[in-house]
Every structure is written in structure tokens, then in C-alpha cells.
Amino acid sequence: MGAFDYRNFDDRRKNSLSAKQMLLEKFKARPPADDPEMIAKAQARAEIARAREERARERESARIAAEKAAAEEKRAREEAELAAQIAREEAEALAAAERKAAELAEKKAARDARYAARKAKARR
């Protein structure tokens, strides 16, 4: 609990009035809006705000350009992977066709050999 405040009502009222008076004096001491110094400060703040907005626009355009470049790179990489996959599949299909042709040739040679053996047996 705080210490007992021995000030009376008049002291508190005087302090309140003096605080209000100081605030009023501070407000009155402020320069008017048409003061050249105030106008210069307002222009400086506006210039800073414009520069900040310009930097934000530049950052945004740089971000968009980076996203476009990344998307283009990704698209190119996917196209290259797709082309490689197509080439692999074509090579596998060609190899399978060659194996099938070799199997057919082996089967034909075996058939021809059986046929020739049958004919040679029949001639004896």
C-alpha cells in the first residue's frame, strides 16, 4: 500500500490546472501550418514516402522477375527431363524390337534346322 498523500484538494486542483496550462502553451507555441519551415518538413516527409514507395515497387518488380525466371527455368528443366524420358522410352522400344527380331530369327533358324533334319532323315 502506498504512503498516505498529505496533499489536499486545492494542491491537486492547482497541479491539474498548471498541467492543462502547460499543454495549452505547448499547443500555442506550435508553428502555424503555413509556416515555411512546416511546409518544408511536410515536403521532406512526402519525398521520403515517395522514395519508400518507389523502393517497394522496385522490390516487387524484382521479385516478380525472379519468379518468372524460376518458372522459366523449371519449365525448361521439365522439358529436358521429358525429352530425355521420351528418348529413353524410344531406345527401350527399339531394343525390344531388336530382341524380338533376333528371337524370331533364332526361332526361324531352329525351325529350318528341324525341317532340314526331317528332310535329311526322310532321304535316307
Side-chain angles (χ1 to χ4, degrees), residues 39-81:
I39 292 172
K41 286 181 180 180
Q43 287 175 345
R45 284 193 301 271
E47 184 64 32
I48 290 170
R50 277 193 295 275
R52 186 179 304 124
E53 290 173 2
E54 179 64 28
R55 288 191 306 270
R57 279 194 299 273
E58 289 173 0
R59 281 193 305 272
E60 183 68 16
S61 64
R63 184 189 61 81
I64 290 171
E67 286 178 358
K68 284 182 182 179
E72 182 66 27
E73 181 181 322
K74 181 180 177 184
R75 187 188 62 76
R77 187 174 54 248
E78 288 174 353
E79 285 180 359
E81 289 173 0

Side-chain angles (χ1 to χ4, degrees), residues 78-119:
E78 288 174 353
E79 285 180 359
E81 289 173 0
L82 181 62
Q85 181 181 359
I86 290 172
R88 231 181 358 261
E89 289 173 357
E90 287 177 353
E92 289 172 1
L94 184 60
E98 288 176 359
R99 282 193 305 272
K100 188 173 181 179
E103 286 177 14
L104 290 176
E106 287 177 16
K107 286 181 182 178
K108 184 177 183 321
R111 237 185 0 258
D112 289 347
R114 285 193 309 270
Y115 179 72
R118 224 178 20 249
K119 284 289 187 177

